[in-house]
Amino acid sequence: MVANKPTIKDVARQAGVSIATVSRVMAKKANTYTPQTAQRVWDAAAKLGYQKNSAAAELATRSSDKIAVIVSNPPTNFSTGILDGMQQTALAHNHHIIILYAGNHSPQLLHQAIKDATAGPRAGILLIGSQIDPQSLKMLQDSQLPVRLVSNYSYELPLQFISSDNTELAAQSVEYLIKKGHRRIGLFGIDHSHTGLQRRAGYQKAMYEHHLPIEQDWIQYGNYSYEAGQTIMQYWADLKLSAVVAASDLVAMGIMRQAAQMGIKIPQDLSIVSIDGTFLCEVTDPQLTSVTQDFYQIGVNSVLDLLGNAPSELVPFKLVERGSVAEQPK
Amino acid sequence: MVANKPTIKDVARQAGVSIATVSRVMAKKANTYTPQTAQRVWDAAAKLGYQKNSAAAELATRSSDKIAVIVSNPPTNFSTGILDGMQQTALAHNHHIIILYAGNHSPQLLHQAIKDATAGPRAGILLIGSQIDPQSLKMLQDSQLPVRLVSNYSYELPLQFISSDNTELAAQSVEYLIKKGHRRIGLFGIDHSHTGLQRRAGYQKAMYEHHLPIEQDWIQYGNYSYEAGQTIMQYWADLKLSAVVAASDLVAMGIMRQAAQMGIKIPQDLSIVSIDGTFLCEVTDPQLTSVTQDFYQIGVNSVLDLLGNAPSELVPFKLVERGSVAEQPK
DNA sequence: CTGAAAGCGCTTACAG
DNA sequence: CTGAAAGCGCTTACAG
């Protein structure tokens, strides 16, 4: 025989006031009650173990303090930094984040997640690494909610975003390698999504600007995965590359592993700079030089932007030198 | 001038029926409407882009199809397998999971997450890797919701759970090492939580059963992290261990890295078996032999159990041999 | 400062 | 098979 959860009515009775008053003090509406009555309400609520039913509150106000963040299963696990940033920032602004999991790039699961996200009142929607197809876009727009793409973007989409600059990420990786004397530089592991294309563009731009030719097959596609890195690396000998920029830390690791099996020394025989810069870069031997994204800040800016402040689209990244790049004699 | 989101009333008007009828066909209440009226309702809903307001529905029914899963930031990233399993299973049973992020073992964030989880109607609560303190327990109990611990447990807590058997995880790692001829075996990286203690107990049990002494300092505490593995490994020389079981894949990696710096060869000088068996084990060189948990199944069973089926507490794991254990001449 | 009352968008006996 | 009506637990003008 379990007691039902106490409602605002129970608290009102216990405190000897009306439910309107309880509602006001729970919501801390300034200047609408005396300290005394507030205290009685607090006491009654505590005694009863009262907790506001958010479904009722959201229905009444037709609004919510919940930000739905949809995360598409990232092959590489950069998302926890982003989530940390979102979490902290949301809390600091009296908001909450609820995470909806959209699996690994299955449009179905993404649609499901968007549907869940828009099925009730929401402060807004944040999508981490999701591939937006036309139907997703329509659902998002129909919801009339503020939405932001996080960590990926396309200028062709009518959606705002918060991300590192993919083009520059790749371009600066190449610049760095060139500065170290490399000329035969490849790009391994990108896919054909906007992100992949943007990185490819950055790679090409940097090579062109330094009048370096790009031979066929220097750009190798994958899906940012460890396996892709391994597979692609098998063809390295034919490519005669002295350096490569890896599309993600995971592909960098795959490259290293395959290299080890082929007797190729990193960085003596092959230099690598990795895009992402997660903890994985410090775990390999040698450690991976990377262009590291500020995932935490991306998370912070996402919710700030969503909430109407700090409208910054691109967040800075930085190149951190570790041990996977060697100077190349010219 | 944006149209407001259509409600059940709009659909009713559009379809020329009452809102009660709309409600029934949207909920697919069998035998309560003709195919004709159903069709008209579907059409009206589609035309208007109607979507049920879940806050209103939950308020009316005082129930929900949402399972709140609280995830405490795991140092190691085993949780995506669990989440995948939960997701699939929930969907198959017409439920949804929403994830609440509880940061890295901050009681505050955990309380916040529990509060969020219990602030509205819920089908139940699943907690992945959370340290349950008395206040958390009380909040959970006050909610009167079904709750399950996932991937960690304590027989002292009045909470059901779904997890691998921590004691056996460690015991079988030790057994395996003994079978390979090792006698001086350590346990690195556990903490003082229930999980750590259970693994320690398993280690001790296996050693005792084989009449092997456990010298002081063979058990080294950490927090399942990469850094812990590195730090602990610095004292290895004094310990004269021929093998070690690592409390997580991450500590195993930390151990390997430190070993490399110290010129210690794996597995010739030191054998390692790692607890967890995530993809990280296949990424090192040599690959890590591990006692691998079936995270996906843990996720599946969690929701099945929560929903009232398949009440299995412990889910089987298996030892997978890779390259980090060498035969030890007796 | 406080209460009575209407309303948020649904669901579900109850009649018919 | 279908509709009118009450109710879910809140919030918020509106009076006083």
Side-chain angles (χ1 to χ4, degrees):
Chain A
M1 175 80 118
V2 140
N4 276 315
K5 293 192 72 172
T7 71
I8 198 175
K9 230 183 251 176
D10 301 307
V11 179
R13 189 179 314 122
Q14 174 76 221
V17 297
S18 72
I19 63 167
T21 296
V22 175
S23 177
R24 288 190 200 101
V25 352
M26 297 308 282
K28 298 191 205 290
K29 295 264 177 212
N31 302 114
T32 67
Y33 50 82
T34 64
Q36 290 67 224
T37 74
Q39 194 54 246
R40 285 168 52 203
V41 172
W42 297 130
D43 290 346
K47 176 169 179 193
L48 265 32
Y50 170 73
Q51 187 171 12
K52 189 189 293 187
N53 180 330
S54 67
E58 292 180 346
L59 179 58
T61 61
R62 268 145 288 139
S63 76
S64 169
D65 59 0
K66 298 196 182 82
I67 298 171
V69 2
I70 295 176
V71 2
S72 292
N73 186 6
T76 163
N77 240 94
F78 56 73
S79 53
T80 88
I82 296 181
L83 290 173
D84 273 321
M86 289 179 173
Q87 169 94 309
Q88 297 295 332
T89 312
L91 246 34
H93 291 255
N94 287 311
H95 279 256
H96 299 257
I97 74 175
I98 66 176
I99 303 169
L100 269 15
Y101 191 58
N104 38 202
H105 298 302
S106 128
Q108 266 189 51
L109 287 179
L110 179 59
H111 296 161
Q112 179 65 56
I114 295 177
K115 199 171 155 191
D116 289 355
T118 57
R122 291 285 116 92
I125 302 182
L126 257 18
L127 298 104
I128 304 182
S130 306
Q131 306 284 335
I132 306 299
D133 54 89
Q135 184 177 347
S136 298
L137 182 61
K138 181 177 186 326
M139 295 173 74
L140 255 9
Q141 292 180 143
D142 282 353
S143 77
Q144 303 172 212
L145 256 24
V147 359
R148 296 290 184 279
L149 253 28
V150 181
S151 200
N152 73 335
Y153 58 91
S154 163
Y155 289 106
E156 293 158 22
L157 248 26
L159 293 173
Q160 290 179 258
F161 58 84
I162 292 83
S163 174
S164 303
D165 183 326
N166 278 316
T167 306
E168 281 308 304
L169 233 27
Q172 299 207 20
S173 299
V174 174
E175 295 280 356
Y176 175 77
L177 255 4
I178 292 174
K179 203 188 313 165
K180 290 296 181 183
H182 294 274
R183 299 177 54 86
R184 303 183 64 85
I185 303 168
L187 174 63
F188 285 8
I190 56 166
D191 62 2
H192 291 86
S193 70
H194 293 297
T195 299
L197 270 20
Q198 288 151 183
R199 292 182 182 179
R200 186 182 68 185
Y203 161 82
Q204 289 170 155
K205 184 188 74 166
M207 295 293 275
Y208 289 151
E209 286 181 3
H210 288 267
H211 311 296
L212 294 176
I214 298 176
E215 289 184 18
Q216 199 181 8
D217 297 335
W218 281 12
I219 299 176
Q220 291 284 336
Y221 295 85
N223 55 173
Y224 305 103
S225 72
Y226 181 77
E227 291 73 22
Q230 282 185 119
T231 305
I232 295 170
M233 189 58 193
Q234 296 173 203
Y235 306 103
W236 173 78
D238 304 328
L239 271 25
K240 304 197 177 63
L241 263 13
S242 75
V244 89
V245 358
S248 76
D249 292 342
L250 245 18
V251 341
M253 291 183 81
I255 291 173
M256 288 185 75
R257 167 128 260 250
Q258 184 60 227
Q261 301 199 153
M262 294 164 73
I264 298 164
K265 298 258 173 295
I266 311 289
Q268 298 86 330
D269 303 329
L270 175 67
S271 289
I272 306 176
V273 5
S274 179
I275 294 180
D276 273 354
T278 66
F279 83 100
L280 292 172
C281 292
E282 307 186 333
V283 141
T284 54
D285 184 24
Q287 294 189 149
L288 283 160
T289 289
S290 69
V291 81
T292 114
Q293 304 191 56
D294 194 343
F295 292 115
Y296 185 87
Q297 193 60 235
I298 288 176
V300 169
N301 288 12
S302 299
V303 348
L304 287 181
D305 190 20
L306 191 78
L307 262 29
N309 322 308
S312 65
E313 294 185 335
L314 265 11
V315 355
F317 58 88
K318 62 174 184 287
L319 193 141
V320 1
E321 304 185 276
R322 277 180 283 248
S324 61
V325 174
E327 199 93 27
Q328 176 82 346
K330 318 239 173 174
Chain B
M1 175 80 117
V2 142
N4 276 314
K5 292 191 72 171
T7 71
I8 198 175
K9 228 183 253 174
D10 301 308
V11 178
R13 189 179 314 121
Q14 174 76 221
V17 297
S18 72
I19 62 166
T21 295
V22 174
S23 178
R24 288 190 198 101
V25 352
M26 296 308 281
K28 298 192 205 290
K29 296 265 180 213
N31 301 113
T32 66
Y33 50 81
T34 63
Q36 289 68 223
T37 75
Q39 194 53 247
R40 284 166 53 201
V41 172
W42 297 130
D43 291 346
K47 176 170 178 190
L48 266 31
Y50 170 72
Q51 187 170 12
K52 188 189 292 185
N53 180 330
S54 67
E58 291 179 346
L59 178 58
T61 60
R62 270 146 287 140
S63 76
S64 169
D65 60 1
K66 297 195 181 82
I67 298 171
V69 2
I70 296 176
V71 1
S72 292
N73 187 4
T76 162
N77 241 93
F78 56 74
S79 52
T80 87
I82 296 180
L83 291 173
D84 273 321
M86 290 178 172
Q87 169 94 311
Q88 296 297 330
T89 313
L91 245 34
H93 291 255
N94 287 310
H95 279 256
H96 299 256
I97 73 175
I98 67 177
I99 303 168
L100 269 15
Y101 191 56
N104 39 200
H105 299 300
S106 130
Q108 266 189 52
L109 287 180
L110 179 58
H111 296 161
Q112 178 65 55
I114 295 177
K115 199 171 156 194
D116 289 355
T118 57
R122 290 284 116 93
I125 302 181
L126 258 17
L127 297 104
I128 303 181
S130 306
Q131 307 282 339
I132 306 299
D133 55 89
Q135 184 177 345
S136 297
L137 183 60
K138 182 177 185 323
M139 295 173 75
L140 255 10
Q141 290 179 145
D142 282 353
S143 76
Q144 303 173 213
L145 257 22
V147 1
R148 298 290 185 277
L149 253 29
V150 181
S151 201
N152 74 335
Y153 58 91
S154 162
Y155 289 105
E156 293 158 23
L157 248 26
L159 293 174
Q160 291 179 257
F161 58 85
I162 293 83
S163 174
S164 302
D165 184 325
N166 277 316
T167 306
E168 282 308 305
L169 233 27
Q172 299 208 22
S173 299
V174 174
E175 294 281 355
Y176 175 77
L177 256 4
I178 292 175
K179 203 187 312 163
K180 290 295 181 183
H182 294 274
R183 300 176 55 85
R184 303 183 64 86
I185 303 168
L187 174 63
F188 285 8
I190 57 167
D191 62 2
H192 291 86
S193 70
H194 293 295
T195 300
L197 271 20
Q198 287 151 183
R199 291 181 182 180
R200 185 181 70 185
Y203 162 81
Q204 289 169 153
K205 184 188 75 166
M207 294 293 275
Y208 289 151
E209 285 181 4
H210 289 267
H211 312 296
L212 294 177
I214 298 176
E215 290 185 18
Q216 199 181 10
D217 299 334
W218 281 11
I219 298 177
Q220 292 285 337
Y221 295 86
N223 54 175
Y224 304 102
S225 72
Y226 180 78
E227 291 72 23
Q230 281 185 119
T231 306
I232 295 169
M233 190 57 194
Q234 296 173 202
Y235 306 103
W236 173 76
D238 303 328
L239 270 24
K240 304 195 178 65
L241 263 13
S242 75
V244 87
V245 357
S248 76
D249 292 341
L250 245 19
V251 340
M253 290 182 82
I255 291 172
M256 288 185 76
R257 166 130 259 249
Q258 186 59 226
Q261 301 198 154
M262 296 164 72
I264 298 163
K265 297 259 174 294
I266 311 292
Q268 298 86 331
D269 303 329
L270 175 66
S271 288
I272 305 175
V273 2
S274 179
I275 295 178
D276 274 354
T278 65
F279 83 99
L280 291 171
C281 292
E282 309 188 330
V283 143
T284 55
D285 184 22
Q287 294 189 149
L288 283 159
T289 289
S290 68
V291 81
T292 113
Q293 305 191 55
D294 193 345
F295 293 115
Y296 185 88
Q297 193 59 234
I298 289 177
V300 169
N301 288 12
S302 300
V303 348
L304 288 181
D305 191 20
L306 189 79
L307 263 27
N309 323 307
S312 65
E313 295 186 335
L314 265 11
V315 352
F317 58 88
K318 61 174 186 287
L319 194 142
V320 0
E321 303 186 276
R322 277 180 282 248
S324 61
V325 173
E327 199 93 28
Q328 177 81 346
K330 318 236 172 175

